[in-house]
Amino acid sequence: MVNSITIWLSCFCAGAISAVFWRELPSTQSMAVMLASLVVTSSIILFYQNHGSIAGQAVMEVLLCLAINGLFVGVLWVASLGHFYYAWQLPQHKIQQDVTIVGRVISGGCVSDDLLNGQDYHQYTVAIQSVDGQSTREFLNPPFFKALLFAGLKFKVRLSHSHYRAENHGVTSHSFTFRRSDDESLPKKAKASCLHDGDVFTAVAKLKPAYGVANPVGFSRQQYLVSQFIYATGYIKALHIERTFHKHSHRNELADWLSFLSLTHHSWWSALLLGNKTHFTQNDWILLQRTGTGHLFSISGMHLSIVAGVCLLVFVPFIFILVQIFELLRTLRRFASLQVVGFYAYKTQHKGCLFGLKNTGLRVWVLVCVIAVCYLYALLSGMALPVVRALLLLTLGCLLTIFKVAWRSVNIGLAMLALCLLLFPFSVLNASFYLSIGAVICIWFFINTLSIQREPWYFAIIKLQLALTVIMMPLTTIWFGNVSVVSLVANLLALPVITLLLPICLISLLISYYFSTFFVGNFAVEVLKWSDYLFGYLLSLLAFLSDLDLSAFTLFIDTSSALCFLGAIILFCLPYWRFKRLCIVLLSLPLGTSLIQWLPPNDEIWALHVLDAGQASAITVTKGDRAIIIDSGAQFRGIAMTATQHLFPLLENLKVKHVDHVIHTHSDNDHAGGLSTVMAHPIAGNATFYSPTFGCERDTMFDWQGLTISFLWPLKGNDQDNNAMSCVVRIAAQSGSVLIPGDIEKESEYALITKELAGGTSALNADILIAPHHGSKTSSTDIFIKHVAPKAVIYTQGYENRWKFPALNVVERYKQHNVQQYLTSSEGYTLVTFRKGSFEVNTLRGDLKKRWYLKGKPPRHL
């Protein structure tokens, strides 16, 4: 029986987790075959179970059926929800249109109104109930999916806002940001507080399907949105104040109280005690990343376990004393009403019950109280998914203990993992699943294999932290491409401090709030201030470790190689057997082959990398360990996301050591927004910069790594930096050529062709063309396409961009010339590799990383 449970749960988890690697969701035909196999295997299992004893050969058949059954159940569970996700989508006629929505804030709501000063951007996860009066349940297609709807499934969207109009009973609208309702600087009719978790509101918004850029490195927004079951994104244009019902929970009141205390490190306490990380600065995030301590300040299972441990220490003696008092009172009452002989007979008769109350009853009451307190703590922390997941696992463990179910630790772990996959199936697409579940499994694994519990506590902590650091390194490398060298030291220093301060400061915060007028409340405030003072030393120490030159480094390793190396580490910790060393070597080989990338690259190959930068342009050309950057994407709210999160991490992944030339075709934000980021990056320290008014002029040509770089436009003496005078760059070699014309339009195209004809040259010809002006109808004229004669054209444009690039007539024009067309909005990152006499085009969504949760969406206007 135990082996059957282990096999079934293991295969169920394997089947569900395999969804991470599916290129497409299983078709309805394949799902029908799996469903039929489930019926067959279930029938075989039931048949043998009903016949009692099973022969040895039959045992193997049953175990095989159990494995197949569990695997198919896991696959079908995630696949069915995946089909359901894509069936419940925003109608086409609602996309990018002004719609009136009624929704309820699920998460991301303001925690404290006082902290909104200066904050001009906010994001919410909202469960939309209706759009233009139409229930979101009507969005399901086909309709039979409606039968699957229940309270747990909501049409969730991600909404943002900066400035918007507040509409109130036809009164003239006012433009403002979310501010406190008692702010006298705003008109009476325009006052509104920020939206909190649980608030129900009506607003005018623009929505579009959940989507994001697709690049080989960096954060995948689309994958994150799918993992959260978010169906659409958008922004609020106008909020109907009179139909906004605020729900200010105790968490909001505690946040206001915490801000009122004016602690020096308020943002850190807000994250640690209330789970609010919205006030972290960019430097704070860098510090956490470089020291590997981000998990300490993001409320998760570790914090819940600390709270549970403190509850056990407090409740066991407290409840034991209460039980003793209760038994004493009941005994005295019986003694007063019964004769002495009768009392002794009663005591003898109920002796087992008394002891059962003292032992079994005590344990039940303690565990129930622990679950209740942990549930309240989860509410206080905002019910983040890692906390909810840990709470469920804690509840399962406590229930097994209460009902005296004797499971092996392996089965308990598998049941907890299966429960997570059953309740949060898409969490397998999120890093927190692997980091939290992986950490729990690692702790259990090392306690059982290294016998850490037999060591002195201080030595056990060091040994366990060292083991966790080593074994979790492949997982953090897979998800973040970053390795913290000082994480071991930082965690050994910070973990005891956080473990000590968390319960003390949490209790002090609650006492100071609920008993603020009493002495104990004032004492709790002083405890918080002293803790804040001591906490400053910890942050100073972490800052010191973060500032070390070798505190962290970037390391990009293939996922399969990292997983194999993780398996090698686990095998290394297991007891010795005959082929152990051979298995470790074989599992380490993929990592060794991936590290070969550190050797000098093949200089015979050069590549064009067109990043998916949304409605912007970011391109790089690499050969060997050197690169040229041509445009660096846009900048929003002072941050060049494409340059910082995608462009330079890609170059680091490609082992590029030097950026020799940086060309910005013109100064518009969508092309040169990352200029300051590029100039500040170390590998571009010696780069030569070009723009239409500096260095980029016709007849300028130079050799770079065996490639010929030619500037074809603008003319010499140009002093304008605009679309018409965009820098036109041609890169050529014997293996192929590329033309990058920036945002030139038809007038510049005609002038460029005229110059080429007058000079008797054919420098415009290219194998790969970056579409002028992102595919605008004012460019890509027929004569220009004829002179370039490209084999493929790449449009750098964003999904559902307001200009509807590329224009339909432009797409038709290229189609008439038999040019292969690629759109970064639907294909994602596009790689063109040039070898001797040939080139190859690969796209991320098409073949480099084709996944069902990264499905491309073609423009609707085409």
Side-chain angles (χ1 to χ4, degrees):
M1 180 62 181
V2 173
N3 288 335
S4 300
I5 294 175
T6 304
I7 291 173
W8 194 93
L9 289 177
S10 300
C11 292
F12 171 81
C13 296
I17 295 176
S18 68
V20 178
F21 305 101
W22 298 348
R23 293 174 66 85
E24 294 178 350
L25 286 172
S27 63
T28 53
Q29 293 82 1
S30 59
M31 291 178 68
V33 172
M34 284 188 280
L35 191 59
S37 300
L38 281 181
V39 175
V40 173
T41 54
S42 299
S43 301
I44 294 174
I45 294 170
L46 291 174
F47 173 79
Y48 280 112
Q49 283 183 343
N50 292 333
H51 284 72
S53 59
I54 303 174
Q57 184 177 359
V59 169
M60 295 303 298
E61 293 176 358
V62 171
L63 294 180
L64 179 61
C65 289
L66 281 169
I68 296 174
N69 190 281
L71 184 68
F72 284 171
V73 169
V75 171
L76 285 172
W77 174 238
V78 180
S80 59
L81 289 176
H83 283 292
F84 178 85
Y85 176 84
Y86 284 113
W88 202 10
Q89 293 293 315
L90 196 68
Q92 292 287 322
H93 64 279
K94 303 289 187 184
I95 297 176
Q96 291 292 62
Q97 301 296 319
D98 287 353
V99 294
T100 301
I101 63 171
V102 177
R104 181 175 62 85
V105 179
I106 298 177
S107 63
C110 302
V111 179
S112 173
D113 295 352
D114 292 335
L115 297 176
L116 282 173
N117 298 329
Q119 184 176 343
D120 62 351
Y121 185 77
H122 208 85
Q123 284 189 325
Y124 307 106
T125 300
V126 176
I128 293 186
Q129 301 168 7
S130 65
V131 178
D132 287 337
Q134 180 183 10
S135 173
T136 52
R137 290 173 175 261
E138 303 300 322
F139 297 166
L140 271 170
N141 186 26
F144 69 80
F145 271 120
K146 293 180 183 178
L148 300 177
L149 278 179
F150 56 91
L153 290 176
K154 304 176 179 64
F155 193 82
K156 294 196 295 186
V157 302
R158 189 75 167 165
L159 292 179
S160 61
H161 72 77
S162 51
H163 290 76
Y164 68 96
R165 299 190 320 277
E167 296 181 354
N168 192 355
H169 296 296
V171 178
T172 303
S173 300
H174 304 274
S175 177
F176 65 101
T177 55
F178 278 119
R179 301 287 295 277
R180 293 191 61 182
S181 57
D182 58 350
D183 191 342
E184 298 299 331
S185 64
L186 293 176
K188 293 289 185 182
K189 298 295 183 181
K191 291 179 183 178
S193 176
C194 63
L195 294 176
H196 303 78
D197 291 352
D199 288 358
V200 178
F201 67 96
T202 302
V204 177
K206 272 195 174 182
L207 303 175
K208 63 181 179 181
Y211 206 57
V213 298
N215 289 299
V217 293
F219 175 69
S220 176
R221 183 170 180 260
Q222 185 177 3
Q223 181 173 338
Y224 170 78
L225 294 173
V226 174
S227 72
Q228 301 297 311
F229 260 99
I230 293 175
Y231 298 90
T233 60
Y235 61 92
I236 297 173
K237 295 185 65 177
L239 181 68
H240 294 273
I241 298 177
E242 77 284 358
R243 286 188 282 176
T244 299
F245 304 96
H246 291 280
K247 181 182 178 181
H248 296 192
S249 64
H250 288 292
R251 181 170 179 250
N252 301 116
E253 295 173 0
L254 284 171
D256 288 334
W257 175 254
L258 184 61
S259 63
F260 172 76
L261 296 178
S262 301
L263 301 177
T264 304
H265 308 99
H266 173 269
S267 59
W268 294 89
W269 289 116
S270 182
L272 183 60
L273 301 179
L274 301 175
N276 177 32
K277 301 184 291 292
T278 58
H279 307 296
F280 276 165
T281 64
Q282 187 68 20
N283 291 333
D284 294 336
W285 287 113
I286 293 175
L287 183 146
L288 293 175
Q289 183 183 36
R290 294 186 65 86
T291 57
T293 54
H295 64 285
L296 297 179
F297 299 95
S298 180
I299 295 181
S300 59
M302 185 200 77
H303 302 77
L304 194 76
S305 64
I306 293 174
V307 173
V310 172
C311 289
L312 283 174
L313 292 176
V314 173
F315 287 145
V316 168
F318 179 74
I319 295 179
F320 178 78
I321 293 173
L322 286 181
V323 169
Q324 295 300 320
I325 294 173
F326 175 78
E327 290 298 325
L328 179 61
L329 292 175
R330 192 171 67 171
T331 302
L332 291 174
R333 186 175 60 184
R334 291 289 182 182
F335 180 79
S337 60
L338 297 174
Q339 298 293 331
V340 175
V341 176
F343 168 73
Y344 279 110
Y346 172 83
K347 183 176 180 181
T348 302
Q349 182 181 357
H350 294 82
K351 184 176 181 180
C353 295
L354 289 176
F355 278 99
L357 184 60
K358 290 181 180 179
N359 296 312
T360 305
L362 174 64
R363 179 176 57 198
V364 171
W365 278 106
V366 168
L367 293 178
V368 169
C369 291
V370 168
I371 293 174
V373 171
C374 288
Y375 176 75
L376 294 176
Y377 176 69
L379 287 176
L380 186 65
S381 64
M383 295 297 285
L385 180 57
V387 182
V388 175
R389 190 163 50 216
L391 179 62
L392 289 172
L393 301 186
L394 175 67
T395 305
L396 175 61
C398 291
L399 290 177
L400 291 175
T401 303
I402 291 173
F403 293 103
K404 299 180 181 180
V405 179
W407 281 6
R408 292 188 304 174
S409 55
V410 174
N411 290 333
I412 295 175
L414 286 172
M416 290 180 175
L417 180 58
L419 183 61
C420 288
L421 294 172
L422 187 64
L423 298 177
F424 313 107
F426 285 1
S427 63
V428 297
L429 306 178
N430 203 316
S432 67
F433 172 82
Y434 299 95
L435 297 179
S436 58
I437 297 294
V440 172
I441 293 175
C442 290
I443 292 173
W444 168 83
F445 176 78
F446 285 117
I447 287 177
N448 284 273
T449 57
L450 302 181
S451 300
I452 291 179
Q453 67 274 16
R454 300 176 184 176
E455 306 285 351
W457 67 269
Y458 52 87
F459 186 72
I461 290 176
I462 296 175
K463 195 173 182 180
L464 183 60
Q465 186 61 54
L466 178 61
L468 277 173
T469 301
V470 174
I471 204 167
M472 296 298 289
M473 192 175 294
L475 293 178
T476 56
T477 304
I478 290 173
W479 285 99
F480 307 113
N482 182 274
V483 176
S484 175
V485 178
V486 299
S487 63
L488 176 61
V489 177
N491 279 280
L492 287 175
L493 294 174
L495 186 58
V497 177
I498 298 300
T499 304
L500 178 65
L501 291 182
L502 175 62
I504 293 175
C505 294
L506 187 59
I507 294 173
S508 299
L509 177 64
L510 295 174
I511 292 176
S512 66
Y513 175 73
Y514 289 105
F515 302 96
S516 58
T517 59
F518 297 93
F519 169 77
V520 67
N522 295 328
F523 179 76
V525 171
E526 292 301 320
V527 171
L528 285 172
K529 290 183 177 180
W530 275 102
S531 300
D532 184 55
Y533 178 75
L534 295 175
F535 191 73
Y537 287 103
L538 174 63
L539 290 180
S540 299
L541 183 58
L542 293 179
F544 169 76
L545 294 174
S546 175
D547 291 338
L548 296 177
D549 292 336
L550 297 178
S551 61
F553 62 91
T554 302
L555 179 64
F556 294 98
I557 299 177
D558 180 69
T559 301
S560 57
S561 301
L563 291 177
C564 289
F565 185 64
L566 178 62
I569 295 175
I570 295 174
L571 289 182
F572 178 80
C573 299
L574 291 175
Y576 177 79
W577 76 90
R578 184 176 180 182
F579 299 105
K580 177 181 177 180
R581 294 179 180 175
L582 177 62
C583 292
I584 293 174
V585 171
L586 291 176
L587 287 173
S588 301
L589 284 178
L591 177 65
T593 56
S594 65
L595 294 179
I596 292 178
Q597 297 178 8
W598 289 0
L599 299 176
N602 185 0
D603 289 337
E604 297 297 324
I605 300 175
W606 63 284
L608 171 74
H609 308 265
V610 183
L611 279 79
D612 184 1
Q615 187 56 39
S617 176
I619 303 168
T620 183
V621 177
T622 61
K623 187 176 183 184
D625 60 355
R626 312 187 84 86
I628 295 176
I629 293 176
I630 306 170
D631 291 338
S632 54
Q635 179 184 121
F636 298 103
R637 296 187 299 277
I639 302 176
M641 299 294 290
T642 300
T644 56
Q645 294 192 4
H646 301 293
L647 177 58
F648 280 109
L650 173 65
L651 294 177
E652 292 171 359
N653 188 25
L654 297 171
K655 315 305 175 189
V656 170
K657 298 178 181 178
H658 303 283
V659 174
D660 296 323
H661 303 279
V662 177
I663 305 168
H664 283 102
T665 55
H666 60 296
S667 61
D668 284 1
N669 179 55
D670 60 331
H671 289 255
L675 175 59
S676 58
T677 301
V678 174
M679 295 178 68
H681 201 279
I683 66 172
N686 297 320
T688 304
F689 287 78
Y690 302 88
S691 71
T693 59
F694 184 82
C696 180
E697 56 184 24
R698 184 172 175 80
D699 296 331
T700 299
M701 184 184 302
F702 59 88
D703 180 82
W704 176 80
Q705 300 293 301
L707 307 179
T708 301
I709 314 298
S710 307
F711 294 134
L712 307 181
W713 190 260
L715 302 177
K716 292 182 179 180
N718 171 64
D719 59 356
Q720 299 180 32
D721 193 347
N722 52 29
N723 287 357
M725 294 301 164
S726 292
C727 186
V728 178
V729 189
R730 184 175 185 268
I731 304 172
Q734 291 183 351
S735 53
S737 55
V738 178
L739 184 67
I740 305 173
D743 278 357
I744 62 171
E745 298 182 337
K746 57 184 178 181
E747 292 80 5
S748 300
E749 291 178 359
Y750 295 152
L752 187 56
I753 293 170
T754 302
K755 288 292 181 183
E756 291 297 318
L757 294 176
T761 63
S762 58
L764 277 179
N765 182 269
D767 296 307
I768 304 295
L769 171 66
I770 305 299
H773 202 184
H774 315 283
S776 166
K777 63 182 179 181
T778 60
S779 59
S780 294
T781 56
D782 188 71
I783 191 172
F784 181 77
I785 298 174
K786 287 181 179 179
H787 277 80
V788 178
K791 296 181 176 64
V793 61
I794 303 172
Y795 302 97
T796 55
Q797 39 74 244
Y799 174 67
E800 289 295 332
N801 63 85
R802 58 181 175 177
W803 300 278
K804 295 187 177 181
F805 293 157
L808 178 60
N809 60 343
V810 171
V811 172
E812 292 296 331
R813 211 173 290 150
Y814 281 107
K815 188 181 296 185
Q816 291 172 4
H817 289 273
N818 297 318
V819 180
Q820 187 69 34
Q821 303 181 60
Y822 300 91
L823 288 74
T824 56
S825 65
S826 56
E827 302 288 348
Y829 161 83
T830 304
L831 169 67
V832 186
T833 306
F834 294 88
R835 294 179 175 86
K836 289 184 178 180
S838 65
F839 65 88
E840 180 183 4
V841 182
N842 299 103
T843 64
L844 188 130
R845 286 195 172 101
D847 40 22
L848 296 177
K849 191 181 178 182
K850 186 178 181 181
R851 297 290 186 269
W852 64 271
Y853 47 85
L854 295 177
K855 184 183 294 186
K857 296 181 182 295
R860 289 180 300 142
H861 66 277
L862 298 182

